[in-house]
Amino acid sequence: MSEYNFAYLDEQTKRMIRRAILKGLAVPGYQVPFASREMPMPYGWGTGGVQVSAATLTPDDTFKVIDQGADDTTNAVSIRKFFENTAGVVTTEETEKATVIQTRHRIPEAELTEDQILVYQVPIPEPLRFLEPRETETRKMHALEEYGLMHVKLYEDISQHGAISTSYAYPVKVSGRYVMDPSPIPKFDNPKLEMDAIQLFGAGREQRIYAVPPHTKVVSLDFEDYPFEATKADHPCDLCGAEDSYLDEVIMDDAGNRMFVCSDTDYCRSRRAAGHEGRLAKEDAA
Amino acid sequence: MTPLLSVQNIRKTYGTRIGCTGVSFDLYPGEVMGIVGESGSGKSTLLNCLAGHLEPDGGRVVFDTRTDGPVDTVTMSEPERRMLGRTDWAFVHQHARDGLRMSVSAGGNIGERLMAVGDRHYGDIRDKAIDWLGRVEIEANRVDDRPTAFSGGMQQRLQIARNLVTGPRLVFMDEPTGGLDVSVQARLLDLLRGLVREMGLSAIIVTHDLAVVRLLADRLMVMKDGHVAESGLTDQVLDDPQHAYTQLLVSSVLQV
Ligand SMILES: Nc1ncnc2c1ncn2[C@@H]1O[C@H](COP(=O)(O)OP(=O)(O)OP(=O)(O)O)[C@@H](O)[C@H]1O
Ligand SMILES: [Mg+2]
């Protein structure tokens, strides 16, 4: 581990990233360009988030990594190992114990506090991209607050599907100013974007960092007659019985039996440890 | 009466080549002006300078705004100019695909300007889109189709609907009937004439088509080598053309 600088990146690079982070916090939702570095992992594996985490971590931090809510996927494990090796920080799977949490596609169920930082991996930072591919034009649209196009996307959704079908990366307006892609979290998580913790977003390939400071107003875009809804599967968790958590659907056998389980594995585990039981809790233990 | 648009000594050069120069005219509310001239005479350059798509090298384009009265749009801030571009102004391109979002449904195309100025009621937006489809003679059941599924004439009519839905006061058109079949042109022209009259639109129309000029334009401006060669009431210019190009234009049509 001594062959690396703390958290892999050199201090110069970390300072550059921190400046981008601070600028992002000063202008909530604004995409700050930064000089993304080559990381020893491919794009799409969270290189943006990893660089933000590297610039954020201190030796005293406790680090947690989740991928779609789970701590044990290949992606989460490899990023956790990466920082164990390069920064020597303590890692944890417990949301409450972590001071820095890097995430892909979820916000933890447990309410985060002012002492925590949530770092998102972002594949495509530009919410206007799919309708306006020209970067010069989208920049201008942000600068001039011309966001009609975002509603065109939602209009298309309703006209094709009878409802706003966008269920991931649901666009939000931050602090009454910038429209932002919250990364591919389910829209169920959108209301949680107004939180006590600092939220940092890193896009490696696209070289953008943006941020939502604590207690910032974050509004999900919608229509008066099609208001935003934070939906989830209408089910309790089959393992811990939670009614308020985002669920993954798991196919159990060829006969089409399914179960619904918390996507946040730590949340589910801690509830079961506290004695909560879902419909299939006994079978799972067996 | 205050002109809706007062163009004063507009000049635009591309390096050493003249795009257009020394162009001045006033357009009054409800007036339609045609611009004709041979290829390369500077018609599109002028139109784009007037509509704020190109920055002129000299001159003023004074528009009588709703809130602040006459304002030079060349020197106004870009946000203000872009706001005009999606409220009081409209621009109809020769090629519909330059003026439409080809990956968005007809309804979304028409609704875009409404949403851009703050409409947030899906049902209302859709109703207005369907109403406008009807006004440009496209059936309501095509509202969810993309323009890629439309004929050239339908695309052009959709582009017009998309532009007029916010009730602009000034419409710029660059060869709106160009590239369409003759029969399709005639229908589009009829439609345009109806809309211009009904909405009391002011318009500046660049065209090669004398039928467009005769049917729509109150006044005519003839351009040659970036300059205004002659201008006046349409009938006067066409009945007694002074300039060689105009004479050719009139005689070539008469021969047909
Ligand atoms: N982007 C450009 N760069 C350099 N020169 C240009 C450019 N656009 C136009 N020009 C030149 O400016 C002059 C006027 O061109 P413009 O396109 O305005 O003519 P036009 O009257 O619209 O012609 P057309 O009838 O063929 O559309 C021409 O000499 C043209 O070559
Ligand atoms: Mg032209």
Side-chain angles (χ1 to χ4, degrees):
Chain A
M1 135 174 199
S2 56
E3 54 206 274
Y4 297 109
N5 191 37
F6 175 77
Y8 186 78
L9 292 174
D10 61 86
E11 293 306 309
Q12 183 83 16
T13 300
K14 283 194 272 183
R15 267 197 296 277
M16 176 270 293
I17 294 172
R18 285 178 199 137
R19 276 196 295 272
I21 290 172
L22 289 173
K23 187 168 176 183
L25 284 164
V27 191
Y30 172 73
Q31 298 168 47
V32 185
F34 80 110
S36 184
R37 292 296 141 92
E38 288 288 327
M39 297 302 285
M41 57 194 73
Y43 289 123
W45 281 69
T47 57
V50 166
Q51 290 177 80
V52 169
S53 292
T56 304
L57 282 170
T58 68
D60 299 335
D61 273 313
T62 303
F63 189 55
K64 169 181 163 85
V65 186
I66 46 174
D67 178 3
Q68 318 244 27
D71 296 80
D72 55 3
T73 68
T74 320
N75 188 298
V77 170
S78 75
I79 292 173
R80 193 163 60 232
K81 285 239 174 72
F82 176 77
F83 283 111
E84 279 170 359
N85 291 335
T86 61
V89 288
V90 176
T91 59
T92 183
E93 297 196 357
E94 291 176 54
T95 303
E96 286 84 354
K97 289 200 175 137
T99 54
V100 176
I101 303 171
Q102 181 169 333
T103 181
R104 175 174 173 270
H105 296 192
R106 273 311 310 277
I107 295 177
E109 303 294 353
E111 202 167 313
L112 300 184
T113 68
E114 286 181 354
D115 302 324
Q116 294 178 303
I117 297 175
L118 185 58
V119 176
Y120 295 78
Q121 301 174 198
V122 179
I124 298 171
E126 179 48 72
L128 298 160
R129 172 77 48 85
F130 48 88
L131 286 175
E132 181 50 74
R134 289 169 297 177
E135 164 95 20
T136 49
E137 192 60 21
T138 54
R139 256 193 238 180
K140 203 166 269 182
M141 290 164 135
H142 283 293
L144 301 180
E145 253 182 287
E146 293 180 1
Y147 290 131
L149 210 50
M150 278 326 308
H151 275 87
V152 172
K153 162 81 167 72
L154 300 179
Y155 171 97
E156 292 291 283
D157 250 18
I158 300 171
S159 69
Q160 281 163 33
H161 307 285
I164 297 178
S165 66
T166 301
S167 53
Y168 289 88
Y170 192 104
V172 294
K173 192 165 208 180
V174 180
S175 198
R177 178 57 182 85
Y178 285 95
V179 166
M180 184 187 95
D181 183 330
S183 88
I185 57 172
K187 67 178 175 182
F188 173 80
D189 282 344
N190 271 28
K192 291 189 262 173
L193 288 161
E194 283 184 8
M195 63 164 72
D196 294 353
I198 291 174
Q199 298 172 82
L200 306 176
F201 299 77
R205 185 182 42 223
E206 306 266 342
Q207 316 212 35
R208 291 289 184 278
I209 285 171
Y210 49 101
V212 176
H215 314 292
T216 302
K217 193 163 178 57
V218 180
V219 176
S220 302
L221 303 182
D222 62 4
F223 286 103
E224 290 157 16
D225 45 345
Y226 286 85
F228 171 80
E229 275 179 296
T231 49
K232 67 184 263 293
D234 187 15
H235 243 272
C237 171
D238 283 329
L239 294 182
C240 77
E243 311 246 2
D244 58 353
S245 76
Y246 191 73
L247 302 173
D248 286 337
E249 188 178 345
V250 184
I251 309 284
M252 293 178 4
D253 53 31
D254 292 347
N257 282 315
R258 302 170 306 166
M259 68 188 287
F260 289 92
V261 295
C262 292
S263 98
D264 184 335
T265 49
D266 176 60
Y267 183 71
C268 200
R269 182 199 50 73
S270 62
R271 277 182 53 86
R272 277 179 285 157
H276 296 282
E277 282 191 357
R279 182 175 63 100
L280 302 172
K282 296 281 186 300
E283 293 172 37
D284 187 61
Chain B
M1 184 159 59
T2 312
L4 183 64
L5 191 75
S6 178
V7 178
Q8 299 162 17
N9 215 9
I10 284 296
R11 176 171 52 85
K12 173 73 189 174
T13 51
Y14 301 101
T16 55
R17 181 179 294 148
I18 293 173
C20 64
T21 185
V23 181
S24 300
F25 65 88
D26 286 341
L27 185 78
Y28 286 90
E31 255 190 329
V32 176
M33 192 169 84
I35 302 178
V36 297
E38 60 192 36
S39 186
S41 59
K43 305 181 296 292
S44 296
T45 301
L46 174 63
L47 198 71
N48 283 306
C49 284
L50 302 184
H53 298 169
L54 276 179
E55 192 183 344
D57 299 314
R60 286 154 47 91
V61 179
V62 179
F63 180 71
D64 188 14
T65 61
R66 282 181 216 240
T67 45
D68 302 321
V71 178
D72 183 3
T73 62
V74 176
T75 53
M76 77 173 22
S77 72
E78 192 182 13
E80 289 176 300
R81 198 164 44 239
R82 283 173 70 110
M83 179 57 99
L84 268 187
R86 54 180 197 270
T87 52
D88 266 354
W89 289 0
F91 196 103
V92 177
H93 295 262
Q94 171 173 2
H95 301 290
R97 57 179 55 246
D98 294 336
L100 291 174
R101 290 193 190 278
M102 299 307 279
S103 60
V104 168
S105 70
N109 264 288
I110 298 177
E112 182 174 346
R113 275 171 78 114
L114 296 170
M115 293 182 251
V117 296
D119 275 22
R120 292 291 177 265
H121 191 284
Y122 174 84
D124 289 352
I125 293 165
R126 195 168 172 82
D127 287 347
K128 283 183 202 164
I130 288 172
D131 176 51
W132 265 97
L133 281 181
R135 292 173 75 166
V136 297
E137 299 166 11
I138 297 174
E139 287 191 37
N141 64 14
R142 306 299 301 268
V143 66
D144 294 329
D145 292 352
R146 292 184 176 182
T148 41
F150 287 4
S151 69
M154 284 169 76
Q155 288 182 5
Q156 199 57 302
R157 280 180 274 138
L158 178 63
Q159 193 196 178
I160 288 164
R162 164 182 161 87
N163 268 284
L164 297 189
V165 65
T166 46
R169 291 192 293 152
L170 177 57
V171 186
F172 302 96
M173 301 191 213
D174 196 351
E175 309 205 23
T177 60
L180 298 174
D181 289 348
V182 177
S183 63
V184 178
Q185 281 186 13
R187 182 168 173 202
L188 185 68
L189 202 52
D190 258 4
L191 184 88
L192 272 176
R193 185 169 60 161
L195 288 171
V196 162
R197 291 213 176 134
E198 188 185 318
M199 299 176 74
L201 288 176
S202 311
I204 300 178
I205 306 181
V206 166
T207 183
H208 279 115
D209 184 349
L210 260 202
V212 172
V213 172
R214 284 216 188 266
L215 268 177
L216 288 177
D218 306 304
R219 285 199 296 147
L220 188 60
M221 193 163 94
V222 183
M223 292 193 69
K224 166 86 173 149
D225 298 335
H227 295 78
V228 178
E230 64 181 303
S231 67
L233 294 174
T234 302
D235 292 342
Q236 283 173 6
V237 174
L238 294 183
D239 291 346
D240 183 19
Q242 300 298 306
H243 195 270
Y245 173 78
T246 327
Q247 289 168 359
L248 199 69
L249 191 72
V250 173
S251 63
S252 63
V253 166
L254 289 180
Q255 281 162 16
V256 172

